[in-house]
Amino acid sequence: MLLLRCPLLLLLLLPLSSRPQKLPTRDEELFQMQIRDKAFFHDSSVIPDGAEISSYLFRDTPKRYFFVVEEDNTPLAVTVTPCDAPLEWKLSVQELPEEASGEGSGEPEPLEQQKQQITNEEGTELFSYKGNDVEYFVSSSSPSGLYQLDLLSTEKDTHFKVYATTTPESDQPYPELPYDPRIDVTSLGRTTVTLAWKPSPTASLLKQPIQYCIVISKEHNFKSLCAVEAKLSSDDAFMMAPKPGLDFSPFDFAHFGFASDNNSGKERGFLKSSSKFGRQTSSKPRVDLHKVCIGNKNIFTVSDLKPDTQYYFDMFAVNTNTNMSTAYVGTFARTKEEAKQKTVELKDGKVTDVFIKRKGAKFLRFAPVSSHQKVTFSVHSCLDAVQIQVRRDGKLLLSQNVEGVRQFQLRGKAKAKYLIRLKGSKKGASMLKILATTRPNKQSFPSLPEDTRIKAFDKLRTCSSVTVAWLGTQERNKFCIYKREVDDNYNEEQKKREQNQCLGPDTRKKSEKVLCKYFHSQNIQKAVTTETIRGLQPGKSYLLDVYVIGHGGHSVKYQSKLVKTRKFC
């Protein structure tokens, strides 16, 4: 039944009379017409001369292909590319019947008789292979005859590719590898690997258009680009293959996960969906497998890798004219380990300054020397919010974002050890001060109200003064107010860059100081203070800062306020 599947193959089985019929070759107009549309060969049992075909094997279901070599001493090259499963394949040849018997009548033998004659003969085996390598049969002088290529997949349903030519010297559709086809790892980091390789002679000598595609995997190396594309495609793509014996047009292979014929010169890939067979599929990129094509460069740095992780790297040279590829010898490398974090020891009741890189983290350890009922962590974030996590003997007790000053009181435990993880902001570097203590009355940071803004009264604004107010707390603290003249084009962005709350009054010029005063109120609703700042210039802009200073001498800055005096009074 296999021999009757394709009308082309009937040409093999018709009698060979004074005008013998044969398979079309590239010298014939018919073949030239057919080769422009490679979908014609997708379900054909005939292998065209000089064109790569893609097809599909069902597990344990053999498939046979034919092609004719018309003259003795003909060069021949056959390449079989397994995609995602090992293949067993065998190439054999048998002679074609040259003349009809018919008692010299010149009448051709019946079709069934010739068919039986061809299929009953096993032919001479030329080559066989079993595995998942891209394997070749090459002969500089092959006999004429009918060649059979038998393929079988015993592992699973799979895709594969076949290429055969009688002019291998002039075709050269596959890029040639350099004398040293290895990929070199020239640089290795925690998240980067730099690769280098020698260019393909097809590009450097023959000047054919070659691009290089790099494949990064966490599992293993790949032996063909076809295998990579099969792995990258969704698993459901294989469910879209035709059922054995299903009557369909060979042009429908565009729906079976094979590249459309309109994609010649582009990378072959699986279609994302097919409505013909009633199943919707989507190609989901695998997080452990990536392919990137980089043009004709022969050095490339792979970035965004994970530290202390083994990766496998493969390189494929792709001829962009034929879309056929050749694999370099793959390599593997393990990225460097993440630098071990140095753990900072916190001392009871002592403030520690911490600097964290953007998106970075710092680890601190607090091990009280005496038994304790409670432990207090005070955190002062100088810039953007930071995240704090506290674990006691491995158990997570606290996970919070901190902006400004925050205090956390946790239940203590005898001989407990606390591990503090501080994670920085995504916006930029983070600075903070942290204090850990087992003594509840030991508070170095001043208490703050929830609202640390400075309010300016527009109606009380004059040509030489402004009046402002801010909130306090029930705790008696010292407040110092400072002023600085700024340009009229001073904006919120510049003010934001100066919002380091950890910079105290000691960093300011004495001439900028307005006054200092103590203030508190037992009634939190009335904990408001006002101040009029005098001696200002008409029509000028000033940046006002209020610092609250705690008993331990540490200060916290309120949000800066930009004010402007009236120009005319």
Side-chain angles (χ1 to χ4, degrees):
M1 296 300 294
L2 181 61
L3 294 175
L4 297 177
R5 289 173 66 189
C6 177
L8 279 178
L9 196 57
L10 292 177
L11 297 172
L12 286 173
L13 306 177
L14 292 177
L16 304 173
S17 56
S18 57
R19 295 181 61 189
Q21 300 186 53
K22 57 184 181 297
L23 282 177
T25 67
R26 75 182 84 191
D27 296 328
E28 299 182 1
E29 183 179 351
L30 177 61
F31 177 79
Q32 291 296 337
M33 178 272 293
Q34 293 165 348
I35 201 64
R36 294 189 199 104
D37 194 345
K38 295 181 182 178
F40 185 86
F41 295 102
H42 273 318
D43 192 44
S44 170
S45 296
V46 177
I47 300 176
D49 190 355
E52 185 181 64
I53 63 169
S54 299
S55 193
Y56 193 90
L57 273 176
F58 292 96
R59 184 169 63 89
D60 295 329
T61 303
K63 193 172 248 187
R64 175 172 289 178
Y65 288 89
F66 299 89
F67 61 91
V68 171
V69 174
E70 299 175 354
E71 298 178 1
D72 288 331
N73 303 318
T74 299
L76 177 64
V78 178
T79 303
V80 177
T81 303
C83 288
D84 53 343
L87 295 181
E88 297 179 20
W89 61 274
K90 177 180 70 173
L91 182 66
S92 56
V93 62
Q94 58 176 287
E95 293 183 2
L96 283 171
E98 294 185 357
E99 295 183 1
S101 53
E103 296 181 354
S105 63
E107 294 295 323
E109 292 180 354
L111 176 62
E112 289 300 319
Q113 184 176 342
Q114 289 198 42
K115 173 186 170 185
Q116 183 178 5
Q117 181 178 355
I118 294 175
T119 56
N120 284 347
E121 295 181 10
E122 284 298 321
T124 304
E125 182 177 316
L126 300 176
F127 184 80
S128 64
Y129 175 75
K130 180 178 180 180
N132 59 356
D133 282 328
V134 179
E135 195 54 69
Y136 311 87
F137 169 80
V138 179
S139 174
S140 59
S141 180
S142 298
S144 61
L146 175 67
Y147 285 74
Q148 295 176 187
L149 177 64
D150 295 286
L151 301 106
L152 177 67
S153 173
T154 59
E155 188 173 299
K156 64 176 182 176
D157 300 350
T158 183
H159 295 86
F160 66 93
K161 295 183 179 183
V162 176
Y163 174 79
T165 179
T166 55
T167 55
E169 290 298 324
S170 59
D171 282 3
Q172 296 185 350
Y174 295 97
E176 186 180 348
L177 291 177
Y179 68 91
D180 182 2
R182 294 173 298 178
I183 305 170
D184 295 321
V185 177
T186 60
S187 178
L188 194 62
R190 289 192 296 271
T191 60
T192 60
V193 173
T194 300
L195 307 172
W197 57 94
K198 293 177 174 59
S200 165
T202 306
S204 57
L205 299 179
L206 301 181
K207 305 302 181 184
Q208 292 191 25
I210 296 294
Q211 76 165 342
Y212 299 100
C213 294
I214 298 174
V215 174
I216 306 104
S217 169
K218 288 185 180 179
E219 296 178 354
H220 54 75
N221 289 107
F222 289 86
K223 297 181 179 180
S224 69
L225 200 53
C226 175
V228 174
E229 290 166 348
K231 190 78 170 178
L232 282 171
S233 69
S234 64
D235 293 336
D236 284 344
F238 296 105
M239 300 300 294
M240 296 158 55
K243 301 295 183 185
L246 184 66
D247 185 21
F248 60 90
S249 162
F251 296 95
D252 291 337
F253 262 76
H255 299 284
F256 300 155
F258 292 95
S260 166
D261 299 295
N262 296 328
N263 290 342
S264 59
K266 300 179 181 179
E267 292 184 28
R268 284 190 173 91
F270 295 108
L271 300 183
K272 291 189 176 180
S273 65
S274 170
S275 57
K276 177 162 184 173
F277 293 94
R279 287 196 61 155
Q280 293 293 327
T281 65
S282 61
S283 180
K284 300 176 182 178
R286 298 174 59 99
V287 296
D288 55 351
L289 179 63
H290 298 277
K291 183 187 82 168
V292 56
C293 295
I294 59 169
N296 58 5
K297 296 185 294 184
N298 64 333
I299 186 169
F300 184 75
T301 297
V302 184
S303 57
D304 296 325
L305 303 176
K306 291 184 178 180
D308 194 26
T309 304
Q310 182 154 303
Y311 290 91
Y312 297 85
F313 302 97
D314 290 291
M315 174 63 57
F316 298 93
V318 182
N319 187 325
T320 56
N321 282 343
T322 65
N323 201 34
M324 296 164 78
S325 59
T326 305
Y328 278 65
V329 177
T331 188
F332 62 89
R334 177 175 288 274
T335 50
K336 291 183 178 180
E337 293 183 11
E338 191 75 73
K340 291 185 178 180
Q341 290 281 358
K342 182 180 178 182
T343 302
V344 178
E345 293 287 342
L346 296 178
K347 293 183 178 180
D348 197 331
K350 184 178 180 181
V351 175
T352 301
D353 293 308
V354 181
F355 175 81
I356 308 173
K357 293 181 180 179
R358 177 175 173 267
K359 294 183 179 181
K362 282 289 179 69
F363 291 90
L364 303 93
R365 183 174 174 270
F366 180 52
V369 294
S370 59
S371 60
H372 55 283
Q373 292 183 338
K374 293 181 179 179
V375 60
T376 302
F377 292 95
S378 300
V379 181
H380 180 192
S381 177
C382 306
L383 300 170
D384 294 313
V386 296
Q387 185 190 61
I388 179 173
Q389 286 185 346
V390 179
R391 295 177 184 272
R392 185 183 63 204
D393 299 331
K395 182 181 179 181
L396 182 65
L397 301 180
L398 171 70
S399 182
Q400 290 276 337
N401 286 331
V402 175
E403 197 166 7
V405 176
R406 291 286 301 275
Q407 183 174 292
F408 306 98
Q409 197 168 72
L410 306 175
R411 183 176 295 178
K413 187 178 180 181
K415 298 182 180 179
K417 293 180 176 60
Y418 299 86
L419 181 67
I420 302 99
R421 180 179 184 266
L422 298 169
K423 186 177 181 182
S425 168
K426 294 180 180 179
K427 299 177 183 178
S430 300
M431 296 172 60
L432 58 96
K433 295 176 180 288
I434 185 170
L435 176 141
T437 181
T438 57
R439 292 168 285 175
N441 58 347
K442 181 71 174 178
Q443 300 299 330
S444 291
F445 297 136
S447 58
L448 289 175
E450 289 186 5
D451 190 347
T452 59
R453 292 176 297 175
I454 302 172
K455 164 81 173 172
F457 298 97
D458 186 65
K459 290 183 178 180
L460 301 178
R461 187 166 55 102
T462 70
C463 292
S464 61
S465 69
V466 293
T467 301
V468 294
W470 63 91
L471 298 177
T473 66
Q474 294 174 316
E475 181 182 332
R476 187 173 185 269
N477 285 317
K478 182 181 179 181
F479 294 87
C480 293
I481 187 166
Y482 284 73
K483 72 177 191 315
R484 178 164 64 92
E485 185 179 333
V486 295
D487 296 333
D488 288 338
N489 58 1
Y490 188 88
N491 54 37
E492 290 295 321
E493 186 63 31
Q494 290 173 284
K495 186 175 76 172
K496 188 177 180 181
R497 287 199 296 266
E498 299 178 4
Q499 285 300 317
N500 186 343
Q501 292 187 341
C502 295
L503 294 178
D506 55 327
T507 63
R508 303 297 296 260
K509 296 178 181 178
K510 288 184 179 181
S511 59
E512 295 177 347
K513 183 178 179 179
V514 177
L515 59 85
C516 289
K517 69 177 184 178
Y518 287 89
F519 162 70
H520 77 289
S521 175
Q522 293 301 324
N523 186 348
I524 193 66
Q525 303 297 329
K526 296 182 179 180
V528 182
T529 186
T530 61
E531 195 65 46
T532 299
I533 302 164
R534 308 180 191 278
L536 307 179
Q537 297 297 316
K540 296 294 183 179
S541 296
Y542 293 88
L543 191 69
L544 304 181
D545 288 308
V546 171
Y547 297 88
V548 54
I549 304 169
H551 300 303
H554 294 282
S555 63
V556 179
K557 184 163 72 76
Y558 278 48
Q559 297 180 41
S560 299
K561 181 65 179 179
L562 187 64
V563 296
K564 188 173 183 179
T565 56
R566 295 188 186 278
K567 194 170 185 179
F568 302 103
C569 297

